Amino acid sequence: MQDRARATRKVLLESAAHLFVERGYAGTSVNDISDHSGKTSGAIYFHYSSKEKLALAVVRAQFATWPQLAAAYAAPGVPPLEKLVVLSFRVAQSLSEDVLARAGARLWAERRAIEAPVPTPFGSWALACARLLAQARARGELAAGVEPSAAAVALVCGFYGHCTLTDEMPGRWGWTERLEQWWRMVLASLQAEPDPGLLARARARIPVRPGAPCADALMRRSG
């Protein structure tokens, strides 16, 4: 793909993502995306044959970042449960700071309005989680009776539900504080022996992106 075409597609994806986050799928038209991006409707249809295709491209662009996020759980020398917490914070950070991630989450929540199957990351999340829990069990760090595959599904469901509802909860806590609170409760059930320093070590591994906006919620208006 030529550089000019790549640049146009990037502008269209980012403009569509901003509008999907703000207005939702049904509330966003091709004309809206044209106005926001400064590109003609013809240019949009040249690169994406329909609004549905553009929405799916936004979701796929979000998923394309998954390998970089998942790299945290492949790092050597880090205990598996700590890797799991780091990975969750990386995903939550992405949902808080990355417009494509926020748009992808909202589009998935509104998937029934989109006349095409909307892919999800949940299978990959559950697989990564199950592998880390299995490693923790092999090291004797997992509480008795915790089965990695079943626990992984429960964790993914709980984590995503926590992310989508955080903004609706009372109080002035930010997403990092709420996620820490969630992990304190979860780790009390997962760990064979308490590790009081785990959360602090995990948070220290989260990179701070220069210029990232301060956000107190993982996503807004996603339901």
Side-chain angles (χ1 to χ4, degrees), residues 26 33-34 46 72 74 100 107 124 216:
I33 297 169
S34 173
F46 177 79
L100 285 173
L107 288 169
S124 297
D216 290 335

Side-chain angles (χ1 to χ4, degrees), residues 68-152:
Q68 289 78 24
L69 295 177
Y73 82 81
V78 182
L81 289 180
E82 186 174 328
K83 290 180 186 178
L84 181 57
V85 175
V86 171
L87 182 56
S88 77
F89 270 92
R90 292 290 301 277
V91 172
Q93 182 184 47
S94 177
L95 289 171
S96 174
E97 299 174 1
D98 189 326
V99 68
L100 285 173
R102 298 199 304 275
R106 178 154 187 178
L107 288 169
W108 184 84
E110 298 179 356
R111 62 195 179 281
R112 290 180 178 83
I114 302 174
E115 296 180 2
V118 179
T120 77
F122 304 128
S124 297
W125 290 3
L127 180 60
C129 183
R131 287 173 176 166
L132 291 170
L133 291 176
Q135 293 171 18
R137 182 174 62 179
R139 292 163 55 101
E141 298 170 355
L142 208 61
V146 176
E147 198 285 313
S149 295

Side-chain angles (χ1 to χ4, degrees), residues 5-124:
R6 285 196 193 91
T8 297
R9 290 172 73 92
K10 183 175 186 292
V11 169
L12 293 176
L13 282 178
E14 290 178 351
S15 292
H18 279 285
L19 292 173
F20 289 144
V21 169
E22 180 182 339
R23 306 178 186 179
Y25 178 78
T28 300
S29 69
V30 170
N31 286 338
D32 293 332
I33 297 169
S34 173
D35 292 340
H36 189 278
S37 65
K39 305 296 182 182
T40 66
S41 297
I44 296 174
Y45 285 119
F46 177 79
H47 291 280
Y48 305 98
S49 59
S50 65
K51 187 175 78 167
E52 289 82 3
K53 293 291 178 61
L54 183 50
L56 292 176
V58 169
V59 175
R60 293 190 184 103
Q62 174 202 2
F63 293 163
T65 65
W66 171 249
Q68 289 78 24
L69 295 177
Y73 82 81
V78 182
L81 289 180
E82 186 174 328
K83 290 180 186 178
L84 181 57
V85 175
V86 171
L87 182 56
S88 77
F89 270 92
R90 292 290 301 277
V91 172
Q93 182 184 47
S94 177
L95 289 171
S96 174
E97 299 174 1
D98 189 326
V99 68
L100 285 173
R102 298 199 304 275
R106 178 154 187 178
L107 288 169
W108 184 84
E110 298 179 356
R111 62 195 179 281
R112 290 180 178 83
I114 302 174
E115 296 180 2
V118 179
T120 77
F122 304 128
S124 297

